[in-house]
Every structure is written in structure tokens, then in C-alpha cells.
Amino acid sequence: MLALLSLTALPAATGTTNGEVTLSLVEVIDAALKNSLDLSNAELDVAKAKQDRLIAGRQRLPEVTFNTTFTRIDQGSTGLASIPGFTLPGTEADLSVSAQVPLYTGGRISSGYRQASLGYDLSTESRRAVLGDLLRDVTVFYYRILSTGEQINIAEEALGVSRQHLRDVNLLLKQGIVARIDQVRSELDVAEREKDLAGAVTRRNVASERLSAVLFPDRFVSLNIKGRFSEPAATPSLQDWLDTSMKHSPEIRSAHLGLRLAEARVDLARAEDNATLALFGQYGAKDEDFTTGQDARYWNAGVSFSKPLYLGGRNRAAVKKEIDSVQQAKNNIMLAERIIRSSIVEIIENMKLSTSEFSAAMKAIEAGEENLRITRLKYKQGLIANTDVIDAQLALTRSSLLRITALQGYHTNRTRLLRTAGASREIQ
């Protein structure tokens, strides 16, 4: 409720103007939780499964039915009317209330309730999976936009440096210190930096529009984000995350529930061969019209018993089918566990790689800044070629971009790790 109330005040808090909104990661997640149609459908599935469980549980209760019939009898359709002293009524009306209580169903009701309960649990796990996918997707989009924003800043700074270098080259060319080819190479470098900037802007706009479509499916909102990357933390323990996923992964938990559901279906199929016992009763009145006089009243009560004797082998085939489903469910558990394990191993290795790339980029940036300073000084003294300056600037830019992509990779993979292991709530 606090999240929804904070989102209600979102435009005032973030300064919406002409369909534009700037959100932090927390606000992005709040908007997704409020507006996601996929999450809404998943919650409705849970509500329907809850009603199915309620319906299955009430199969044990008595059934009470009100019955009424009115029949017009054709006098010429029977020979009873020609019997002396016998009068056949022209109409017959019947009012009655009947009740039936199941005494024993051979396990049908209990198996049905068990299936409905497992269906509810499965819908709950499906909702967890949808929620995890939603949190993962919007968070990954957030980091992508944040990364492209940083890339734009780096590209703008690199473009500014390249343009300043071009101005320096033009001045040195006028003084006859450098050759015309240096000017051409500097102009090409400026053009490359302009292309890098345009590409970063395009990637940011596309990512922003895709995230906006998830957060605000019913209207167009120009979306900006705010925030900054935190540095990578310690490398997570593979075994700890594998243990967590075995307990909390929606896919693994759903696979185990699928096995229990298949076993319940076997029990229900076998129950079809069992006898059923029920108590029934009826009280009513039957006469030529709808009357409830004492002479028209009647009642009956009894116990019904039924036992299938021969069904052409259908029940045996149904049991065999459900037993095969049990084996499939066991196979699905192994597949789910193997897929989750492989995914977690891959994600953690990618996180290690991103952490290493970040450390290398930080060292390269520090060395690159000093190298660029010395290279510019030597170029102005005529000791080195113009291409050395361009290469030094390009190396520094690449190191800065590597730092950003490493941070994006680390946080993106961490988000995916939380989703895969079933710890999606930690994303919030």
C-alpha cells in the first residue's frame, strides 16, 4: 500500500511536464508493480485457483434442490381412462425439495480437493515467476538506460576533446608546424566521435521507450531515469546461490508441485474404481395442480450405493496415463534443476568477468589520462605524430566505456541471478 500511495504522488515528486517523467529505480519498480498487465493477469489466475479450491472443498457438503414439474396428460394415450370407475387426471403438478449427502466417495472428493490445492500452489508460483520476470526486465532496462546515459557523457567529452585537438591542429597547420594530413586525420576522428555520440543517444532513446511501454501501457510517457552505478561487490558464492535456488526458484518449486499434482491425478484415476455411498431424501406434494394438501404430500429417504463393475478398461488406461505423467513430472524436476544450475554458473562467471573488466578499466583510465597528457605535450613539441594523440584519446575513451559496460554487466547479471535463484524480492 505504501508503494502504491507513493506512486500516486509520483508526478508531483518527480516533476512531470508535458508527458515527461524522471524516475529512480525504486519508482520504476513501483510503477511496474502498479501497471503491469502480466502481473495483473497472474494475480487473477491465483484468485481463480483459490475459488477452484473452495469449490472442491465444498463437494463434501449436502446438495439441496428445489424441483417443480407440470405435466399435461393426453387422455387418449393410455387405456387406463377406459377402466370403469377410474378417472385419469388431465394434469399433474409436483413440488418437492430433495437433498443428497455424500457418505463415501472412494477418495474422489479428497483427491479432487488435493488437486485444487496444488493448482492454487502452482498458480502462486506462477505469479512469483511473473513478478520475478517483471522486476528483472524493468531493472535491466533501467541499467541499460543508465549505461547509455553514461556513454553519452563519455562520447560528448571525447567529442569535445577531439574538437579541441582539431582546433590545435588547425593552429599548428597555419604556423607550418604540422602537415595537412594531420588536419584530415583529426577531422576523421571528430566524425567518429560524432557517430559514437549519435549511436549512444539512439540506444538510450530506444531503451527508454521500451521501458516506458512496460511501465505505462495505457499512455505515452517520455521517460528519463536518475541514479548512478555502484561499484561491484564481492563475488557471490556459487554453492550458496545453488542452495538458494533449490529452495526458492519458482521453476524448481513448480516442477515439484507438478509431481505432486501428477500423483494426485493417479489417486483420482484409481478412485474411479471405488464404490460410492450417499444418503438422499425428498419431500414434496403431487396433485392435479400445485397444492400442498395432506393427501398430496409424500416423502422418501434412502441410501444409494454404486460400484463400477465393468467399464471396458477405461479406468486402467486412465491410471496408466497418469502414471506416465508422474514419470514426466520427475523428468521435469531434473531438467529444471539442471537448467537453473547452468544458468547460475553462467551468471556468476559473467559477474566475475565484469568485476575483472571494471578493475582493469579503472587502471587503464588512470594510465590513459596520464598518457594522453604526455602525448599532447610531445605532439605540440613536434616529437610525435598526430595519430599518436588520436590513439591515446581513443584508448582513454574505450577504457571509460569499458568501465560503464562492466558496471552495467555486473548489475544486470546480479539482477538475473536474483530472479533465477528465486530471490526477486531482493531486487526491490
Side-chain angles (χ1 to χ4, degrees), residues 331-344:
N331 294 341
N332 289 338
I333 291 176
M334 289 188 289
L335 287 172
E337 291 178 348
R338 196 67 186 88
I339 291 172
I340 294 299
R341 176 184 173 84
S342 297
S343 298
I344 289 179

Side-chain angles (χ1 to χ4, degrees), residues 242-254:
L242 289 176
D243 293 342
T244 299
S245 66
M246 292 301 111
K247 296 178 182 177
H248 301 291
S249 166
E251 286 73 22
I252 293 178
R253 289 165 62 98
S254 294

Side-chain angles (χ1 to χ4, degrees), residues 45-74:
D45 286 338
V46 172
K48 292 191 295 183
K50 186 176 182 179
Q51 296 303 313
D52 287 339
R53 185 178 63 178
L54 179 65
I55 294 170
R58 292 185 176 180
Q59 294 295 322
R60 300 183 178 93
L61 300 178
E63 294 183 5
V64 180
T65 308
F66 173 74
N67 309 291
T68 178
T69 61
F70 181 81
T71 307
R72 186 171 184 82
I73 302 173
D74 182 5

Side-chain angles (χ1 to χ4, degrees), residues 177-379:
I177 298 176
V178 299
R180 175 75 175 85
I181 188 62
D182 287 354
Q183 184 186 47
V184 173
R185 287 170 177 168
S186 296
E187 290 174 346
L188 289 174
D189 179 54
V190 169
E192 285 295 321
R193 303 292 77 77
E194 290 174 343
K195 183 180 74 172
D196 292 343
L197 176 59
V201 170
T202 298
R203 290 192 297 274
R204 183 195 60 184
N205 292 341
V206 171
S208 177
E209 173 57 27
R210 293 185 65 182
L211 180 57
S212 177
V214 175
L215 301 184
F216 307 104
D218 59 338
R219 63 188 185 280
F220 171 75
V221 176
S222 179
L223 178 64
N224 298 308
I225 59 97
K226 57 185 177 182
R228 58 186 298 273
F229 283 113
S230 60
E231 294 188 2
T235 303
S237 168
L238 174 60
Q239 190 58 51
D240 288 346
W241 282 105
L242 289 176
D243 293 342
T244 299
S245 66
M246 292 301 111
K247 296 178 182 177
H248 301 291
S249 166
E251 286 73 22
I252 293 178
R253 289 165 62 98
S254 294
H256 282 280
L257 286 171
L259 173 59
R260 293 170 58 190
L261 182 60
E263 292 171 344
R265 287 172 176 164
V266 171
D267 293 341
L268 181 60
R270 287 172 174 163
E272 294 299 325
D273 279 329
N274 296 335
T276 60
L277 185 67
L279 177 66
F280 67 88
Q282 188 176 28
Y283 181 80
K286 181 186 293 186
D287 207 338
E288 294 186 18
D289 53 15
F290 291 106
T291 59
T292 57
Q294 184 174 359
D295 294 339
R297 297 175 193 171
Y298 69 91
W299 67 271
N300 58 69
V303 176
S304 65
F305 175 85
S306 65
K307 174 73 169 84
L309 297 179
Y310 177 72
L311 298 174
R314 294 194 299 273
N315 280 5
R316 289 194 301 273
V319 171
K320 178 61 172 62
K321 172 186 173 183
E322 300 303 337
I323 290 176
D324 291 340
S325 296
V326 169
Q327 184 57 50
Q328 284 182 322
K330 293 178 179 179
N331 294 341
N332 289 338
I333 291 176
M334 289 188 289
L335 287 172
E337 291 178 348
R338 196 67 186 88
I339 291 172
I340 294 299
R341 176 184 173 84
S342 297
S343 298
I344 289 179
V345 170
E346 179 183 353
I347 290 170
I348 289 182
E349 289 301 318
N350 287 334
M351 291 177 69
K352 291 179 180 178
L353 176 60
S354 296
T355 302
S356 299
E357 289 177 342
F358 174 78
S359 298
M362 294 300 293
K363 296 177 182 178
I365 289 173
E366 183 178 356
E369 289 174 344
E370 180 64 14
N371 178 57
L372 179 60
R373 185 187 68 80
I374 296 173
T375 302
R376 285 175 179 167
L377 182 59
K378 287 183 177 181
Y379 177 70

